Amino acid sequence: MIIEPRMRGFICTTSHPKGCEQNVKNQIEYIKSKGPIAGAKKVLVIGASTGFGLASRITSAFGSDASTIGVFFEKAPSEGKTASPGWYNSAAFENEAHKAGLYAKSVNGDAFSNEIKKQTLNLIKADLGQVDLVIYSLASPVRMHPVTGVLHRSVLKPIGSTFTNKTVDFHSGKVSEISIEPCSGDDIENTVAVMGGEDWGMWIDALKAENLLAPGATTVAYSYIGPSLTEAVYRKGTIGRAKDHLEATAFSITDSLADIEGKAFVSVNKALVTQASSAIPVIPLYISLLYKIMKEEGIHEGCIEQIQRLYQERLYTGNEVPVDEKGRIRIDDLEMRPDVQEKVAKLWVEAVTENLSEIGDLEGYRKDFYNLFGFDVEGVDYKADTNEVVNIESIV
Ligand code: NAI
Ligand code: NA
């Protein structure tokens, strides 16, 4: 079978196993090239199959020789249908980890559910005893609440008033104005229920209740702030309320871990093309301008560079973890540099369909987007027949 990208709206419905494998190998090579990190040895990554979570799993395994358990929600390949990219990524990761003699097992299912938590806890109990790092990197549009049974849907909307600004359809390159109506009803509560910190807290409580957190264990979740340009739809919108909640949860988790001297952090990461971020209006235009500037300045980073720096220069320096005035780790420092933001703001005003491919990095955006699904990856022969079934050896 020759696999080609097939688009439906913001999403690509096919993915390429060889391309995903190559992406994972490239990330592993990057981590190896940066040398060892004195990090955690037994690591649970929740949301481990794509984006920042996958980068975290790779950094732990290949930077610190860590045993890793990854939790994710991905589709296996089936008759005539490719798997989801996170499936191929995880298959490739496990393959490489096992070749390197590293323990790696995965749990595929709804991380918000009691059942998947239980399975994961049992696996830790049986194989690792305890974990010393828990990365929480879920990005989901829905959450079935495990206690109430309510299905919450998150929305990406401004709060209070309609937000009108530019956006780009990155496939066509067309810049247009978009108006997003303010949220209503239970939109904020629902978004907080999905993307806030409640589930993170539930995971940590469950792990602690079964004595599966090692003394001094650390847990890290990922957040975003971004510039004033995107504030109305991001940080001051419904998703921002969820991030506020997530950030507040770090403090309550740290309190709950006092007796084992554990600590919870939120790391504020850079805006990057992932499946989650490409669905947010306005963000793709911002990212394409940001990429252009950061590449020109030689300070562009992808997920793996971000997480490598998080581990090497923030979490595992041997000194106290540096945080901002709100207790957050900042690896969005380069994105938020005043000179970078000034340049982006200037380009933002100028951006129209006719000049975007020049003043913005539309090509880079598209390439990153296709790369997410294993397409357009250097060194992959897309003309070759791909009919092998890729399985995850140690899925639970
Ligand atoms: P992503 O879409 O690449 O990864 C999401 C992960 O969650 C995948 O492993 C997926 O399988 C898993 N997942 C989703 N629903 C699940 C469920 N019900 N059960 C189990 N696993 C599930 O997303 P990305 O961008 O890596 O986001 C991770 C975190 O980083 C999010 O909190 C996001 O807000 C944050 N972040 C993202 C930024 C960006 O620009 N992409 C910037 C800063 C923070
Ligand atoms: Na992730």
Side-chain angles (χ1 to χ4, degrees):
M1 168 164 69
I2 306 286
I3 305 167
E4 286 179 337
R6 209 178 306 140
M7 292 300 307
R8 200 173 57 207
F10 288 113
I11 204 81
C12 182
T13 60
T14 52
S15 67
H16 203 285
K18 291 287 175 201
C20 291
E21 179 183 33
Q22 190 58 49
N23 281 335
V24 167
K25 284 182 174 171
N26 292 347
Q27 292 192 45
I28 291 171
E29 280 316 305
Y30 177 77
I31 291 303
K32 285 187 184 165
S33 78
K34 301 298 276 186
I37 297 167
K41 292 290 189 188
K42 294 175 182 181
V43 180
L44 170 64
V45 181
I46 304 158
S49 53
T50 57
F52 286 112
L54 173 64
S56 306
R57 191 177 193 185
I58 290 172
T59 305
S60 282
F62 290 90
S64 307
D65 288 332
S67 300
T68 60
I69 291 176
V71 181
F72 46 75
F73 206 2
E74 301 293 347
K75 250 194 344 258
S78 59
E79 193 58 43
K81 271 196 168 164
T82 63
S84 55
W87 177 275
Y88 291 135
N89 290 340
S90 300
F93 170 83
E94 287 208 359
N95 203 13
E96 295 301 314
H98 296 158
K99 271 199 274 180
L102 297 169
Y103 172 98
K105 285 190 186 177
S106 300
V107 180
N108 188 25
D110 182 6
F112 296 128
S113 70
N114 291 331
E115 191 197 330
I116 289 297
K117 286 187 176 72
K118 184 101 204 101
Q119 279 183 27
T120 309
L121 266 47
N122 286 342
L123 185 59
I124 295 171
K125 221 174 287 174
D127 289 3
L128 303 180
Q130 290 184 319
V131 291
D132 42 12
L133 174 64
V134 179
I135 298 288
Y136 188 83
S137 186
L138 292 186
S140 173
V142 291
R143 172 178 174 221
M144 168 78 81
H145 197 285
V147 177
T148 63
V150 172
L151 184 69
H152 298 280
R153 286 180 193 282
S154 70
V155 301
L156 295 158
K157 289 188 177 168
I159 297 171
S161 53
T162 303
F163 174 63
T164 302
N165 213 322
K166 289 180 181 179
T167 191
V168 66
D169 173 339
F170 61 87
H171 295 297
S172 66
K174 191 169 181 295
V175 177
S176 62
E177 207 169 70
I178 183 174
S179 283
I180 312 165
E181 294 294 312
C183 65
S184 60
D186 299 333
D187 283 348
I188 296 176
E189 290 82 350
N190 280 323
T191 307
V192 171
V194 179
M195 288 298 286
E198 187 188 27
D199 182 63
W200 184 24
M202 285 178 163
W203 268 100
I204 300 302
D205 285 348
L207 287 160
K208 183 156 187 272
E210 307 234 12
N211 194 28
L212 300 176
L213 294 176
T218 301
T219 182
V220 184
Y222 298 137
S223 189
Y224 183 65
I225 298 176
S228 51
L229 276 171
T230 60
E231 214 167 48
V233 69
Y234 198 94
R235 195 63 209 213
K236 289 190 175 160
T238 49
I239 182 72
R241 291 296 177 87
K243 290 304 187 190
D244 291 343
H245 187 271
L246 184 80
E247 291 173 15
T249 303
F251 293 101
S252 53
I253 293 178
T254 295
D255 288 344
S256 78
L257 298 181
D259 57 329
I260 61 160
E261 289 179 55
K263 226 168 151 63
F265 292 99
V266 159
S267 171
V268 181
N269 300 354
K270 170 188 194 263
L272 280 169
V273 180
T274 64
Q275 291 185 67
S277 68
S278 49
I280 310 178
V282 187
I283 301 278
L285 178 58
Y286 169 71
I287 290 182
S288 70
L289 299 173
L290 179 73
Y291 272 29
K292 180 80 169 188
I293 302 296
M294 293 188 81
K295 285 178 184 176
E296 270 171 15
E297 299 283 328
I299 53 172
H300 179 70
E301 295 174 307
C303 288
I304 197 68
E305 290 86 358
Q306 279 265 290
I307 300 301
Q308 200 282 334
R309 203 154 63 83
L310 169 65
Y311 280 43
Q312 184 101 71
E313 296 180 15
R314 301 288 190 272
L315 290 174
Y316 301 114
T317 61
N319 298 312
E320 208 170 314
V321 177
V323 292
D324 71 7
E325 75 289 351
K326 289 188 172 167
R328 304 171 294 205
I329 299 172
R330 302 297 295 264
I331 53 169
D332 64 338
D333 48 344
L334 301 175
E335 169 182 356
M336 299 311 283
R337 236 168 59 179
D339 61 315
V340 170
Q341 284 302 321
E342 261 165 50
K343 287 180 182 152
V344 173
K346 191 166 162 287
L347 292 180
W348 184 273
V349 178
E350 294 169 13
V352 287
T353 307
E354 290 68 32
N355 65 13
L356 186 60
S357 57
E358 224 170 283
I359 69 167
D361 187 22
L362 206 50
E363 269 319 295
Y365 192 104
R366 281 193 195 120
K367 190 170 172 54
D368 278 11
F369 181 83
Y370 283 109
N371 282 179
L372 295 176
F373 302 90
F375 296 110
D376 209 2
V377 178
E378 261 118 76
V380 176
D381 180 6
Y382 291 101
K383 299 263 159 32
D385 210 11
T386 309
N387 48 19
E388 69 198 276
V389 176
V390 177
N391 270 314
I392 302 180
E393 219 175 287
S394 38
I395 204 132
V396 171

